[in-house]
Amino acid sequence: MAQTEKKGGLLRKSSASKKPLKEKVVLMYDEIFTTEDPSTCNPRFWEELFLMKVNLEYLEGKLEALDGEELMKIKDNINCLFQHCIQALGEEHPIRVVNALQVPR
């Protein structure tokens, strides 16, 4: 049986024949870093995002890799992320609250 290794948001199978899989939260972060509103195709995008464990290593890496021009292109999505973090803090669901607190670290 192949062992799973978690590193940088990838779930890798030790078998060479398998393609590396990304965590769902990483795939969702990638959607935030596009110019499209991630909730357009999935109206529950933000609710689902805050139910998943934060991958700070991946998120910080993505943010640090952006230059000023790239950041301006996705400014609306980044603002939306922080707006939804603030909204999640007021929810009764403890997992959403904890995950929302970890994002802006």
Side-chain angles (χ1 to χ4, degrees), residues 29-38 73-74 77:
Y29 291 157
D30 287 344
E31 289 183 51
I32 294 169
F33 287 89
T34 65
T35 57
E36 300 296 320
D37 177 358
K73 288 180 183 176
I74 63 164
N77 285 354

Side-chain angles (χ1 to χ4, degrees), residues 2-21:
Q3 292 184 337
T4 303
E5 175 189 337
K6 184 177 175 184
K7 183 178 180 184
L10 294 178
L11 298 174
R12 298 177 190 243
K13 295 283 186 185
S14 60
S15 169
S17 65
K18 299 283 183 181
K19 225 177 163 181
L21 300 173

